[in-house]
Amino acid sequence: MKPFREIYAPDLQSHFLKDEIASQGYLLVRGLLPSEDVNQLLNEILPVVRIAGWLMPGFSLAERIADHSAICGDSDLSFNLVYEQVFRLESFHALAHHPALQQVMKLLVGSRLLIHPKPIGRLIFPNCERFVIQAHQDHQSIGGDPESFTAWIPLHNCPEELGPLRILEGSHRFGLQKSDPETGIIPKGAERGGDWVGGQINAGDVLIFHSLTVHAASPNVSKQLRISLDCRFQDYERAIDPANLVFPGSSNRSWEATYDNWRSDELKYFWKHMSLKLKPSKDELVQLVQTAGSPKMQSRYARILSQLESQMPC
């Protein structure tokens, strides 16, 4: 596998970032985030997973040695109970708004930067094939305008044995690729693009890629839990799927519960006062509640519409 194309943060310029993303579909920016800011979030997550019994006793938190008997993933109730605690951390959301990250993303999308409000934490147990993230494109789940971008941020040094992301160079130029309609996974060998690239990604490094860039995780063959964060960005004048602003699933998650113990109001509902272009719009959602192809989808659209109307009534 070829090594990543990379650049150190002080050398990054707008035209270079845009050219690399346009050409290769990604760029690894070394040393973009201060290690102490990344460690702050990691140090808030680790006690949560230790209390849940995910880590072996007798080791320091920093070693992140996983208890194999506790293996779980996002299809498991035990995982979701722990993940909900992580999602409610104020620092979990604040990292996407880090000034250094915002500055770089504005080089890519311009001054009208929308930070998607629901970052995704990846808490990956070692040596469990079932939860290895296979090849996919983020646009399948993000929707809206395809000109959106992901920043993948490991919260600790991530050598290859821990399973960092790998990227299929140039794959964004082939548009939305054929995938499983339920999972979004592209069948192995069917991916269209250039070479797979990868390598070690350290705390403070940020891997940035287009929403149509095919990517996958390498297997975590270490003894450690791998912890990382996905953050999404776009121009707020481009269309956004309103599902990215609310909680369309059947869980009891809400912004009110998420914000309950936050110390600051600064990041609460930060998108409410932006002039966003929703796709589907509220009027279209009203129609979809009646006309969507299945009761499940009708219910999903109804939840999206209800939450939008309570958060963004105008």
Side-chain angles (χ1 to χ4, degrees):
M1 189 162 52
K2 287 171 54 177
F4 286 120
R5 295 170 70 92
E6 61 182 52
I7 191 170
Y8 282 86
D11 302 322
L12 192 60
Q13 299 175 353
S14 175
H15 69 86
F16 183 86
L17 178 59
K18 290 180 179 179
D19 289 350
E20 284 293 303
I21 297 292
S23 172
Q24 305 300 325
Y26 81 98
L27 183 64
L28 176 59
V29 184
R30 297 284 190 190
L32 176 59
L33 297 173
S35 58
E36 58 269 23
D37 295 342
V38 176
N39 286 337
Q40 178 184 343
L41 174 55
L42 179 64
N43 289 337
E44 291 190 43
I45 293 174
L46 287 175
V48 175
V49 298
R50 179 182 61 183
I51 291 170
W54 288 12
L55 301 180
M56 289 290 291
F59 296 90
S60 70
L61 279 179
E63 291 177 279
R64 306 184 321 280
I65 304 299
D67 186 337
H68 197 75
S69 68
I71 283 178
C72 56
D74 58 11
S75 59
D76 299 324
L77 175 61
S78 58
F79 179 91
N80 291 322
L81 291 173
V82 175
Y83 184 79
E84 188 61 35
Q85 297 177 62
V86 173
F87 186 83
R88 293 185 183 189
L89 294 172
E90 187 172 358
S91 58
F92 180 82
H93 296 264
L95 192 61
H97 295 261
H98 194 286
L101 185 55
Q102 288 197 58
Q103 182 179 10
V104 167
M105 297 312 298
K106 285 179 179 178
L107 294 179
L108 187 57
V109 307
S111 60
R112 301 184 300 266
L113 180 65
L114 170 63
I115 301 166
H116 285 208
K118 296 191 297 184
I120 299 175
R122 307 293 185 184
L123 312 174
I124 307 298
F125 276 87
N127 302 301
C128 185
E129 180 66 26
R130 181 164 64 107
F131 295 118
V132 175
I133 297 174
Q134 305 297 330
H136 67 284
Q137 296 168 294
D138 281 354
H139 184 59
Q140 286 279 16
S141 58
I142 296 174
D145 192 292
E147 283 301 300
S148 63
F149 304 89
T150 296
W152 188 80
I153 306 169
L155 301 187
H156 48 74
N157 289 350
C158 198
E160 291 187 62
E161 61 265 25
L162 257 72
L165 287 199
R166 51 194 179 96
I167 295 285
L168 187 61
E169 282 188 326
S171 51
H172 65 302
R173 297 196 297 270
F174 293 88
L176 205 56
Q177 301 191 26
K178 186 176 180 180
S179 64
D180 184 298
E182 293 293 324
T183 65
I185 293 172
I186 300 171
K188 190 171 183 179
E191 314 95 332
R192 301 179 68 193
D195 295 319
W196 281 101
V197 298
Q200 177 160 333
I201 307 177
N202 295 322
D205 298 344
V206 178
L207 180 63
I208 300 170
F209 52 92
H210 192 277
S211 75
L212 291 173
T213 299
V214 176
H215 58 287
S218 303
N220 181 355
V221 295
S222 72
K223 296 181 179 180
Q224 298 174 289
L225 199 68
R226 195 207 81 190
I227 303 177
S228 62
L229 191 67
D230 295 0
C231 309
R232 276 70 182 263
F233 305 83
Q234 69 172 78
D235 182 329
Y236 63 66
E237 290 194 348
R238 291 184 176 271
I240 181 171
D241 187 329
N244 292 303
L245 307 175
V246 297
F247 301 98
S250 59
S251 71
N252 294 321
R253 185 183 296 176
S254 68
W255 286 120
E256 291 78 9
T258 299
Y259 296 150
D260 189 44
N261 292 314
W262 286 25
R263 296 183 297 273
S264 170
D265 294 335
E266 182 180 358
L267 297 181
K268 295 180 180 179
Y269 301 108
F270 64 88
W271 65 93
K272 286 177 61 174
H273 305 294
M274 294 180 176
S275 181
L276 300 180
K277 181 181 179 181
L278 303 180
K279 187 64 179 176
S281 67
K282 288 185 181 179
D283 289 342
E284 289 169 332
L285 285 168
V286 170
Q287 295 298 316
L288 288 166
V289 170
Q290 303 298 324
T291 62
S294 69
K296 179 181 178 181
M297 290 306 298
Q298 291 175 8
S299 178
R300 174 183 170 88
Y301 288 127
R303 287 192 296 269
I304 293 172
L305 182 61
S306 174
Q307 293 177 50
L308 278 179
E309 289 180 336
S310 68
Q311 294 173 21
M312 306 167 70
C314 297

